[in-house]
């Protein structure tokens, strides 16, 4: 029976009482690493052996040194190559690659002479025999491990690169208090059997290795559609939209069609486009008063419309179907809004709809619809166009074209086209319009309320984004799960600032002119706002209640200074996963006023630079990223300071215009101001909005250190703010 290495070590200790890992390796001609492994495994048993590590410096031959130990020193090789009657120097140099060194060493040792007496220089032996001490020394070390050299010699050999000094680790071994000769393998698992039979009592268990690296756990991967959906959702949330509940695929014809003023004999209802349900076949629970008004507007008209003049049947409206568009959900929500008392809203939804269509490379019988709805007083078509520009700009799409279209429920209606740089043509990307009075008035909405709506598919942008040509590769049983696993996160490529001008070198004059344009526009805006305010009244001040997730390692200074401007009382919470404790100074600076109306909880958590804000009184929102949180707080600041423009509560059309003006001007202004003024330096992203101007004036009073360029830019903003909103 072969004895295992650990057992051999134990036997050695039994016999000798102590041991040394390096010696054992040498004696047993074993690899040192194997000996060390065996020692470690004995050590893991507890107190069987005692182990003490030491280090020691050793002299070792280099590969050149080993060659010398075997074949002789370079000088000896040269000496031996010189024949009785001498040799010419060039000939001698050919005997070995190291002949040159060897020759000069042999010369200085007095072994050779250069005889020039016969004209031609000849190398001759000067002594009859030599003693090759170098070889003797080195081979003693190599073959017997015997170190017989003086320190000076070692230094000399080291200089000649024949020797090197190495540090080796070894272990002194001894018997431990629980020394034994038989090793049983320690258990790694506590089994139910051990517990049942009580055998665990006598077992040795292996210690946990808490230093071991963990295996990365397998985790889920989001499908590209979900990634793009998250991106769309973020855009809507940034724009202040609220998500509609879309959790019903099955809908009645009433909400899917009738409520939307879609006549009952409309071809789209035909079984070719719609999946009707056989079980349950019908719905019967409708708001009956409203249903009566819908029936009336279809048959006789009303609200200034002549209707369709046909015999509307409830049986047709009762038929259940898989909703063909998410506008059915919008209809339900708008009806509810009217019932609960109208107030301006911005709604969105992103969910699945179903159509009985011919399947091909780009169409399936189901897809996801992205839908936006804005309801407010006195909206006009220009506002819808403005909103759509804003919305698509956030997707990185800037070139739009609107084509008149027809929907039964909107008038006017517009198909939305965008210019595809890759395909070099205009492609349809969505459908939009203003909901008809025949749809809105029966719901009970006020007469001067107008509503924008638009919709697009989620699949198309996803396919473009991820370069998928066949929809069956994206959805359905043929989807390659590896594709889902490998797809990167969705980042919408927003073109940087428009590239139309190669901006001339910044001139103060041009800058001044641009400022004047902005100021002029803001002045005009202010006039419109005060006019509006006198008609609509000032919005009530919201009570602020926020939760902010931030990382003390990367405190979002800009956001923090805005918080102090909001004058809220700040409480702190430290998440259990936190590694860096926030500095007391930081918390003191932020504490706010104890008597404040509003409240903010800052949760310190390891979230890196991605600050996240969770709720606010303006709407239930979730905002991520420093720039977006800052924007949001800026708007809150506006809303909470009496007498300033509550721009978030302006009619959507006006707010969008402000955004568009300021974005456009600020972008070119920043370019002109200083080409080096990088986006990152611009505290609220690459663009300025009215909200940012407020942020800016706060920042210029705060402790945040600004670069000279940004400082100059802020001063301008402060002036602007003061001049517009006194
Ligand atoms: N429901 C429309 C569609 O399915 C999209 C739309 C929504 C159009 C709202 C106008 C208003 O294409």
């Amino acid at each position: 029976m072969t004895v295992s290495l650990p057992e051999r070590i134990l036997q050695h200790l039994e016999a000798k009482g102590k041991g040394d890992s390096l010696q054992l390796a040498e004696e047993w001609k074993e690899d040192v690493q194997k000996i060390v492994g065996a020692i470690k495994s004995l050590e893991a048993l507890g107190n069987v052996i005692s182990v003490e590590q030491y280090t020691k410096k050793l002299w070792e031959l280099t590969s050149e040194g080993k060659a010398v130990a075997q074949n002789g020193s370079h000088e000896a090789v040269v000496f031996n190559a010189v024949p009785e009657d001498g040799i010419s120097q060039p000939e001698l140099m050919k005997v070995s690659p190291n002949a040159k060194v060897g020759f000069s060493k042999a010369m200085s040792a007095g072994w050779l002479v250069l005889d020039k007496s016969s004209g031609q220089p000849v190398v001759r032996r000067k002594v009859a025999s030599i003693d090759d001490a170098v070889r003797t020394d080195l081979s003693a070390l190599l073959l017997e491990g015997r170190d017989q050299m003086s320190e000076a010699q070692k230094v000399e050999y080291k200089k000649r690169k024949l020797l090197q000094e190495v540090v080796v680790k070894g272990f002194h071994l001894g018997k431990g208090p629980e020394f034994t000769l038989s090793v049983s393998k320690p258990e790694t698992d506590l089994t139910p059997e051990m517990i049942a039979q009580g055998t665990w009592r006598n077992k040795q268990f292996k210690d946990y290795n808490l230093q071991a690296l963990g295996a990365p756990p397998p985790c889920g991967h989001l499908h590209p559609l979900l990634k793009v959906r998250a991106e769309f959702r973020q855009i809507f949330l940034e724009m202040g939209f609220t998500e509609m509940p879309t959790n019903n695929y099955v809908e009645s014809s009433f909400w899917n069609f009738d409520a939307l003023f879609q006549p009952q004999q409309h071809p789209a209802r035909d079984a070719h486009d719609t999946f009707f349900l056989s079980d349950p076949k019908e719905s019967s629970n409708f708001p009956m008063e409203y249903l009566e008004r819908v029936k009336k507007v279809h048959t006789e008209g009303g609200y200034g419309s002549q209707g369709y003049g046909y015999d509307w049947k409830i049986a047709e409206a009762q038929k259940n179907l898989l909703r063909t568009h998410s506008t059915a959900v919008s209809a339900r929500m708008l009806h509810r809004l009217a019932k609960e008392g109208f107030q301006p809203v911005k709604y969105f939804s992103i969910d699945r709809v179903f159509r009985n269509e011919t399947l091909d490379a780009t169409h399936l019988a189901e897809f996801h619809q992205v839908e936006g709805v804005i309801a407010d007083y006195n909206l006009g078509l220009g506002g819808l166009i403005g909103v759509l520009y804003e919305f698509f700009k956030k997707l990185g799409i800037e070139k739009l074209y609107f084509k008149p279209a027809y929907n039964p429920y909107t008038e006017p209606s517009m198909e939305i086209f965008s210019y595809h740089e890759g395909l070099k043509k205009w492609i349809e990307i969505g459908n939009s319009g203003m909901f008809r009075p025949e749809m809105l008035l029966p719901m009970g909405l006020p007469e001067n309320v107008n509503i924008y709506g638009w919709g697009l598919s989620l699949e198309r942008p996803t396919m473009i984004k991820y370069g998928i040509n066949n929809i069956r590769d994206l959805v359905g049983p043929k989807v390659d799960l590896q594709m889902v696993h490998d797809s990167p996160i969705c980042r919408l490529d927003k073109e940087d600032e428009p590239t139309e001008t190669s901006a001339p070198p910044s001139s103060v004059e041009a800058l001044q002119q641009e400022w004047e344009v902005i100021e002029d526009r803001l002045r005009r805006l202010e006039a419109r706002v005060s006019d509006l305010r006198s008609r609509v009244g000032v919005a009530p001040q919201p009570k602020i209640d926020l939760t902010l997730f931030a990382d003390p390692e990367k405190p979002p200074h800009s956001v923090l200074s805005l918080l102090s401007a909001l004058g809220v009382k700040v409480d702190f919470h430290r998440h259990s996963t936190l590694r860096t404790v926030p500095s007391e100074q930081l918390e003191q600076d932020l504490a706010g006023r104890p008597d404040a109306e509003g409240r903010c909880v800052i949760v310190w958590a390891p979230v890196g630079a991605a600050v996240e804000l969770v709720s606010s009184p303006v709407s239930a929102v979730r905002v991520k990223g420093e720039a977006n949180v800052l924007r949001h707080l800026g708007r809150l600041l506006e809303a909470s300071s009496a007498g300033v423009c509550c721009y978030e509560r302006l009619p959507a059309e006006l707010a969008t215009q402000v955004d568009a003006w300021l974005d456009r001007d600020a972008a070119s202004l920043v370019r002109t101001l200083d080409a080096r003024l990088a986006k990152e330096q611009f505290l609220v992203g690459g663009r300025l909005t009215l909200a940012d101007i407020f942020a800016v004036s706060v920042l210029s009073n705060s402790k945040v250190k600004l670069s000279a360029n940004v400082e100059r830019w802020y001063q301008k903003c402060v002036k602007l703010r003061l001049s517009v909103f006194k």
Side-chain angles (χ1 to χ4, degrees):
M1 199 181 85
T2 56
V3 190
S4 73
L5 210 44
E7 280 169 326
R8 241 179 121 185
I9 293 175
L10 290 176
Q11 285 164 7
H12 175 88
L13 289 177
E14 172 73 359
K16 303 265 164 67
K18 58 180 188 166
D20 176 292
S21 59
L22 295 177
Q23 264 174 21
L24 292 181
E26 219 176 280
E27 258 171 51
W28 297 346
K29 303 264 171 282
E30 274 290 357
D31 180 15
V32 186
Q33 284 314 315
K34 277 194 187 154
I35 303 271
V36 171
I39 292 172
K40 293 276 172 204
S41 74
L42 288 171
E43 218 183 350
L45 296 177
N47 293 320
V48 175
I49 59 168
S50 70
V51 180
E52 197 191 312
Q53 195 186 16
Y54 68 88
T55 56
K56 124 176 156 184
K57 282 189 176 173
L58 273 185
W59 288 99
E60 207 179 72
L61 297 188
T62 62
S63 54
E64 192 178 335
K66 283 179 190 156
V68 167
Q70 267 149 14
N71 312 322
S73 66
H74 303 322
E75 49 272 35
V77 170
V78 169
F79 178 85
N80 292 331
V82 177
E84 200 74 21
D85 45 355
I87 185 172
S88 78
Q89 201 176 343
E91 267 315 297
L92 185 60
M93 287 307 116
K94 290 179 192 158
V95 301
S96 103
N98 297 311
K100 219 168 143 198
V101 187
F103 178 68
S104 78
K105 288 275 173 201
M107 287 293 285
S108 55
W111 295 351
L112 299 175
V113 282
L114 200 55
D115 178 5
K116 296 181 183 159
S117 57
S118 59
Q120 277 279 355
V122 178
V123 181
R124 295 185 200 283
R125 291 185 179 188
K126 198 175 169 189
V127 291
S129 65
I130 53 159
D131 171 21
D132 190 357
V134 178
R135 179 184 187 175
T136 319
D137 286 344
L138 296 186
S139 61
L141 186 63
L142 180 69
L143 303 176
E144 300 151 43
R146 195 156 45 81
D147 177 356
Q148 56 181 24
M149 299 162 277
S150 70
E151 281 309 306
Q153 268 171 327
K154 285 178 196 162
V155 172
E156 163 71 11
Y157 293 154
K158 189 179 168 188
K159 235 199 271 166
R160 291 184 66 175
K161 297 201 164 61
L162 303 176
L163 265 190
Q164 61 193 9
E165 203 171 16
V166 290
V167 178
V168 290
K169 275 189 212 161
F171 296 95
H172 294 305
L173 307 176
K175 287 185 180 179
E178 288 161 26
F179 184 79
T180 160
L181 276 179
S182 61
V183 285
S184 58
K185 244 185 141 194
E187 300 289 341
T188 51
D189 274 324
L190 180 63
T191 63
E193 290 74 28
M194 288 180 200
I195 296 173
Q197 296 158 13
T199 53
W200 62 271
R201 283 177 223 275
N202 307 318
K203 299 261 183 206
Q204 276 277 347
F205 287 94
K206 195 171 176 184
D207 282 349
Y208 282 110
N209 177 3
L210 298 176
Q211 256 66 50
L213 295 178
C219 63
H221 293 269
L222 286 184
H223 187 274
L225 274 176
L226 298 183
K227 293 180 187 167
V228 178
R229 184 179 72 174
E231 210 59 29
F232 269 103
R233 189 174 270 153
Q234 187 61 28
I235 289 174
F236 276 119
L237 291 176
E238 267 172 31
M239 292 176 78
F241 283 69
T242 309
E243 190 156 6
M244 295 187 267
T246 49
N247 51 340
N248 59 314
Y249 293 163
V250 174
E251 188 51 280
S252 62
S253 296
F254 179 74
W255 288 109
N256 196 80
F257 294 128
D258 298 280
L260 293 168
F261 198 52
Q262 198 143 324
Q264 295 192 324
Q265 62 280 11
H266 190 282
R269 292 203 187 195
D270 194 290
H272 295 297
D273 274 18
T274 306
F275 290 112
F276 286 97
L277 258 72
S278 48
D279 186 20
K281 213 174 164 60
E282 291 176 345
S283 287
S284 50
N285 192 7
F286 299 107
M288 289 314 283
E289 271 176 47
Y290 168 53
L291 180 134
E292 282 306 321
R293 290 195 294 271
V294 170
K295 172 178 180 170
K296 195 155 169 232
V297 81
H298 278 245
T299 47
E300 308 163 17
Y303 319 100
S305 167
Q306 58 179 18
Y308 292 119
Y310 70 98
D311 185 12
W312 188 89
K313 293 200 179 66
I314 188 163
E316 194 60 42
Q318 283 181 298
K319 287 185 184 166
N320 281 335
L321 45 77
L322 290 177
R323 68 173 173 227
T324 64
H325 53 183
S326 45
T327 318
V329 179
S330 304
R332 278 181 181 270
M333 290 297 284
L334 292 173
H335 174 252
R336 190 159 102 188
L337 181 67
K339 221 172 77 184
E340 291 174 354
F342 176 78
Q343 61 174 58
V345 294
K346 296 192 256 183
Y347 288 149
F348 79 98
S349 67
I350 308 170
D351 208 349
R352 209 170 277 205
V353 301
F354 307 85
R355 289 183 196 174
N356 194 354
E357 270 177 307
T358 321
L359 311 186
D360 62 30
T362 54
H363 293 87
L364 289 181
E366 57 176 89
F367 64 98
H368 290 76
Q369 215 164 39
V370 179
E371 179 149 331
V373 171
I374 298 181
D376 205 340
Y377 297 102
N378 303 314
L379 299 183
L381 188 68
L384 172 58
I385 292 177
V387 168
L388 291 173
Y389 267 111
E390 271 308 287
F391 176 77
F392 284 102
K393 186 154 82 188
K394 284 177 181 282
L395 282 168
I397 296 173
E398 308 238 4
K399 278 189 195 160
L400 294 183
Y401 160 78
F402 300 97
K403 181 179 156 198
Y406 173 77
N407 292 314
Y409 40 92
T410 55
E411 181 60 35
S413 312
M414 307 183 296
E415 275 167 9
I416 312 163
F417 286 76
S418 88
Y419 190 74
H420 194 290
E421 295 294 346
L423 302 174
K424 295 258 171 279
K425 64 173 185 186
W426 291 92
I427 59 170
E428 197 198 326
I429 52 170
N431 183 7
S432 66
M434 298 188 59
F435 288 119
R436 291 184 80 105
E438 290 96 327
M439 165 182 163
L440 302 183
L441 295 178
M443 292 178 170
L445 288 162
E447 261 192 54
N448 55 345
V449 164
N450 305 104
I451 303 188
Y452 302 147
W454 69 96
L456 55 143
S457 92
L458 185 64
E459 276 75 359
R460 182 174 279 199
T462 306
M463 286 170 74
I464 293 174
K465 179 83 215 166
Y466 286 92
I468 295 170
N469 294 325
N470 193 326
I471 195 154
R472 293 178 184 89
D473 295 333
L474 184 69
V475 181
K478 289 192 186 149
V479 169
D480 175 6
L481 288 181
Q482 198 60 38
M483 176 279 287
V484 175
H485 182 281
D486 295 344
S487 292
I489 59 166
C490 173
R491 267 173 201 275
L492 300 168
D493 314 309
K494 285 161 218 185
E495 279 171 40
D496 261 358
E497 304 311 339
T499 47
E500 82 280 12
T501 48
S502 48
S506 70
S507 93
V508 178
E509 233 166 82
L511 183 64
Q512 193 57 43
Q513 273 172 15
E514 290 197 55
W515 262 124
E516 276 156 19
V517 175
I518 295 189
E519 286 184 308
D520 183 47
R521 284 174 174 175
L522 281 169
R523 243 175 259 124
R524 270 161 43 207
L525 171 76
E526 192 198 15
R528 286 185 71 183
V529 170
S530 59
D531 173 46
L532 248 148
R533 210 187 279 138
S534 64
R535 283 192 283 136
V536 182
V538 180
Q541 288 186 34
K543 191 161 180 298
I544 294 173
D545 187 0
L546 305 169
T547 307
L548 193 87
F549 290 84
D551 198 327
E553 272 186 59
K554 291 184 181 155
H557 285 293
S558 58
V559 172
L560 299 180
S561 46
L562 251 187
L563 270 182
S564 69
L566 277 165
V568 292
K569 174 177 179 331
V570 184
D571 292 315
F572 300 96
H573 177 80
R574 292 176 189 176
H575 198 266
S576 57
T577 54
L578 199 63
R579 280 155 305 183
T580 319
V581 176
S583 78
E584 252 169 52
Q585 188 58 44
L586 184 62
E587 294 196 345
Q588 259 171 34
D589 288 349
L590 289 169
R593 298 197 314 257
D595 61 323
E597 273 276 293
R599 182 183 111 95
C600 173
V601 179
I602 294 182
V603 182
W604 296 117
V607 294
V611 208
E612 183 163 353
L613 180 114
V614 175
S615 70
S616 88
V618 176
S619 55
V621 289
R622 208 180 177 92
V623 191
K624 226 181 189 158
E626 186 161 352
N628 291 327
V629 170
L630 198 58
R631 243 167 228 253
H632 185 81
L633 289 180
R635 288 180 180 183
L636 225 52
L637 186 66
E638 267 181 84
S640 67
S641 329
V644 300
C645 157
C646 289
Y647 139 79
E648 188 59 17
R649 281 146 194 243
L650 292 179
E653 167 211 358
L654 208 56
T656 310
Q657 260 183 35
V658 179
D659 266 345
W661 284 347
L662 288 171
D663 281 358
R664 199 164 47 233
D665 293 335
S668 60
L669 196 66
V670 169
R671 263 207 314 277
T672 327
L673 187 65
D674 193 322
R676 284 168 303 154
L677 186 62
K679 251 189 175 172
E680 301 78 67
Q681 284 181 284
F682 196 56
L683 263 169
V684 281
R687 295 182 170 143
L688 180 80
T689 70
L690 208 52
D692 303 327
I693 293 179
F694 285 95
V696 147
S697 66
V698 175
L699 282 163
S700 60
N701 296 326
S702 79
K703 298 190 194 87
V704 180
K705 185 95 194 72
L706 305 174
S707 76
N709 286 331
V710 182
E711 186 74 52
R712 242 158 73 210
W713 164 240
Y714 283 167
Q715 290 315 325
K716 278 278 188 187
C717 290
V718 175
K719 208 183 100 207
L720 181 68
R721 184 213 161 185
L722 294 180
S723 72
V724 178
F725 308 100
K726 273 158 264 168

